[in-house]
C-alpha cells in the first residue's frame, strides 16, 4: 500500500517537473524544492529566528545599505519593465488574448529570460523583511507583508516553469512598474531627514498599489468574456484574478486603517497634535507628516 502511494507521488512529482524545457537551466528552476525551502526559511527567520537573535541586541544601522539596495531595485525593475515591453508587450502583443510563444526564436527566449528575472527579483525583495528584523522594526512585519513576499514568489515559480509569457505575464510587468515607484520612495526615505520634504506622496503609494490590482484584474477578466482564447494555461488567469481581488481587499483595508482611521499614526503624535490645536497652535503639517522639533513623526525617521 505504502509502495503504491509512494509510486503515485513520484509520478505526480515527475509530471510537475516537466515544465517549459527552455527554463530548466535557470537557477532554482529544476525543482520546486529549493525555492520552497528558501521561502520556508524566510518565514521562519522573520517570525522566529530573527527576532530571537535580535532580542538582546541594538538595532543595526543599515542606512547606507538600504539606500543602495532600494535604488538598485529601482534600476533592476526598470530593466525588467523594458524587457517585458520589448519581448512582447509593445512588439506584437494585443493586450487581449496573447498566447505563450514556446518557440526558440529570440523574442520568445527574451520573454523566458525576463520572466525568470522577475521571479528572481521576488527573492531579492525578501531582504525587505530581513532589514525590518535587523533594524527591530517588528511592527512593520504584518500578515499582509509576509503573505505578499512569500506566496507570490512561490506561485510565480509555477508560472515561470510552465507559462513564461503571454497574457499571464501582464501582471508581472505592471507590478514591476509599481516597484520602480515604490523602491524609489523607499530609497529617498532611507536617505534620511534631508529628503523627507520630497516624501509628501507617501499616502499615494497604497493608492498606486490599489490601481495596480484594478488594472491587472480588469485585464484578466476579459478572458471570461472571450468567445475563444488560445492562452495555454487558463489556471494562471484564474490565479491572477484571485490574487488581484484578494490583494485589493487587503490593501483597501490597510488604506482604511492607516489613512481613514489613522491607526498607523503614533499615539503620542496624535496626542500632541490635538493638544496643539486645542491651545490654538496648530502643528505644522507637510503632506500628512507631523513636524515637531525637527522630528518627522511618521513612525520611521526621527532626528535629534
Amino acid at each position: 500500500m505504502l509502495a503504491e502511494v509512494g509510486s503515485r507521488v513520484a509520478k505526480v512529482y515527475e509530471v510537475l517537473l516537466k515544465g517549459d524545457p527552455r527554463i530548466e537551466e535557470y537557477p532554482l528552476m529544476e525543482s520546486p524544492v529549493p525555492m520552497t525551502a528558501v521561502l520556508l526559511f524566510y518565514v521562519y527567520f522573520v517570525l522566529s529566528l530573527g527576532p530571537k537573535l535580535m532580542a538582546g541586541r541594538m538595532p543595526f544601522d543599515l542606512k547606507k545599505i538600504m539606500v543602495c539596495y532600494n535604488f538598485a531595485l529601482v534600476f533592476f525593475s526598470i530593466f525588467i519593465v523594458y524587457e517585458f515591453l520589448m519581448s512582447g508587450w509593445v512588439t506584437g502583443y494585443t493586450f487581449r488574448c496573447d498566447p505563450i510563444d514556446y518557440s526558440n526564436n529570440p523574442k520568445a527566449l527574451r520573454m523566458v529570460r525576463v520572466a525568470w528575472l522577475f521571479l528572481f527579483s521576488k527573492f531579492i525583495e525578501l531582504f525587505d523583511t530581513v532589514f525590518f528584523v535587523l533594524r527591530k522594526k517588528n511592527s512593520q512585519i504584518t500578515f499582509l507583508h509576509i503573505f505578499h513576499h512569500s506566496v507570490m514568489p512561490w506561485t510565480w515559480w509555477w508560472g515561470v516553469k510552465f507559462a513564461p509569457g503571454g497574457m499571464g505575464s501582464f501582471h508581472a510587468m505592471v507590478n514591476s512598474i509599481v516597484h520602480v515607484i515604490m523602491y524609489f520612495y523607499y530609497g529617498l526615505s532611507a536617505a534620511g531627514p534631508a529628503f523627507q520634504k520630497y516624501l509628501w506622496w507617501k499616502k499615494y503609494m497604497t493608492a498606486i498599489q490599489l490601481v495596480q490590482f484594478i488594472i491587472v484584474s480588469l485585464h484578466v477578466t476579459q478572458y471570461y468574456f472571450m468567445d475563444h482564447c488560445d492562452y495555454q494555461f487558463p489556471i494562471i488567469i484564474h490565479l491572477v484574478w484571485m490574487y488581484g481581488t484578494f490583494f485589493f481587499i487587503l490593501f483597501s483595508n490597510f488604506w482604511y486603517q492607516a489613512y481613514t482611521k489613522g491607526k498607523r499614526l503614533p499615539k503620542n503624535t496624535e496626542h500632541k497634535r490635538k493638544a496643539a490645536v486645542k491651545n490654538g497652535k496648530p502643528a505644522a503639517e507637510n503632506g500628512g507628516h507631523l513636524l515637531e522639533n525637527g522630528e518627522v513623526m511618521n513612525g520611521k525617521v526621527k532626528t535629534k
Side-chain angles (χ1 to χ4, degrees), residues 183-220:
Y183 282 102
F184 179 72
Y185 172 87
Y186 290 159
L188 289 179
S189 180
F195 292 88
Q196 293 303 307
K197 60 184 177 181
Y198 302 112
L199 300 179
W200 54 267
W201 47 285
K202 174 185 178 182
K203 176 179 179 179
Y204 300 102
M205 285 303 307
T206 306
I208 292 170
Q209 294 274 24
L210 291 172
V211 171
Q212 168 193 200
F213 300 131
I214 292 172
I215 292 174
V216 168
S217 296
L218 287 176
H219 176 257
V220 296

Side-chain angles (χ1 to χ4, degrees), residues 80-282:
I80 290 174
V81 172
Y82 175 77
E83 288 297 299
F84 269 124
L85 291 172
M86 299 310 296
S87 59
W89 287 103
V90 294
T91 57
Y93 279 17
T94 65
F95 287 84
R96 299 200 74 233
C97 178
D98 296 297
I100 305 161
D101 184 352
Y102 284 105
S103 72
N104 286 318
N105 73 58
K107 191 165 70 172
L109 293 176
R110 191 173 185 176
M111 177 60 80
V112 172
R113 183 184 67 177
V114 70
W116 182 84
L117 286 174
F118 176 76
L119 170 66
F120 183 63
S121 74
K122 299 299 110 182
F123 285 94
I124 295 175
E125 290 165 13
L126 297 180
F127 283 100
D128 289 4
T129 328
V130 174
F131 291 149
F132 284 155
V133 173
L134 297 180
R135 295 167 60 227
K136 302 186 79 168
K137 300 288 185 180
N138 295 332
S139 62
Q140 296 179 347
I141 305 175
T142 62
F143 167 78
L144 173 58
H145 180 90
I146 295 176
F147 183 84
H148 180 67
H149 278 69
S150 59
V151 175
M152 187 173 181
W154 194 86
T155 53
W156 183 252
W157 186 92
W158 298 99
V160 174
K161 182 72 172 178
F162 292 94
M167 187 178 186
S169 66
F170 178 75
H171 77 287
M173 182 179 67
V174 174
N175 182 253
S176 296
I177 294 172
V178 170
H179 279 207
V180 171
I181 303 170
M182 186 177 74
Y183 282 102
F184 179 72
Y185 172 87
Y186 290 159
L188 289 179
S189 180
F195 292 88
Q196 293 303 307
K197 60 184 177 181
Y198 302 112
L199 300 179
W200 54 267
W201 47 285
K202 174 185 178 182
K203 176 179 179 179
Y204 300 102
M205 285 303 307
T206 306
I208 292 170
Q209 294 274 24
L210 291 172
V211 171
Q212 168 193 200
F213 300 131
I214 292 172
I215 292 174
V216 168
S217 296
L218 287 176
H219 176 257
V220 296
T221 296
Q222 63 182 324
Y223 173 85
Y224 301 106
F225 298 95
M226 293 177 181
D227 293 332
H228 178 71
C229 181
D230 293 326
Y231 183 73
Q232 297 93 325
F233 280 88
I235 188 173
I236 301 295
I237 301 300
H238 306 327
L239 286 173
V240 170
W241 190 89
M242 286 189 292
Y243 271 147
T245 303
F246 182 64
F247 279 116
F248 180 82
I249 293 172
L250 288 179
F251 275 81
S252 295
N253 179 66
F254 173 85
W255 175 281
Y256 176 72
Q257 298 294 336
Y259 302 115
T260 302
K261 297 183 69 175
K263 284 189 174 181
R264 286 178 64 85
L265 187 66
K267 293 182 179 180
N268 62 331
T269 301
E270 179 65 11
H271 174 73
K272 291 178 182 179
R273 184 188 67 81
K274 290 181 178 179
V277 173
K278 184 178 180 181
N279 293 329
K281 298 179 181 179

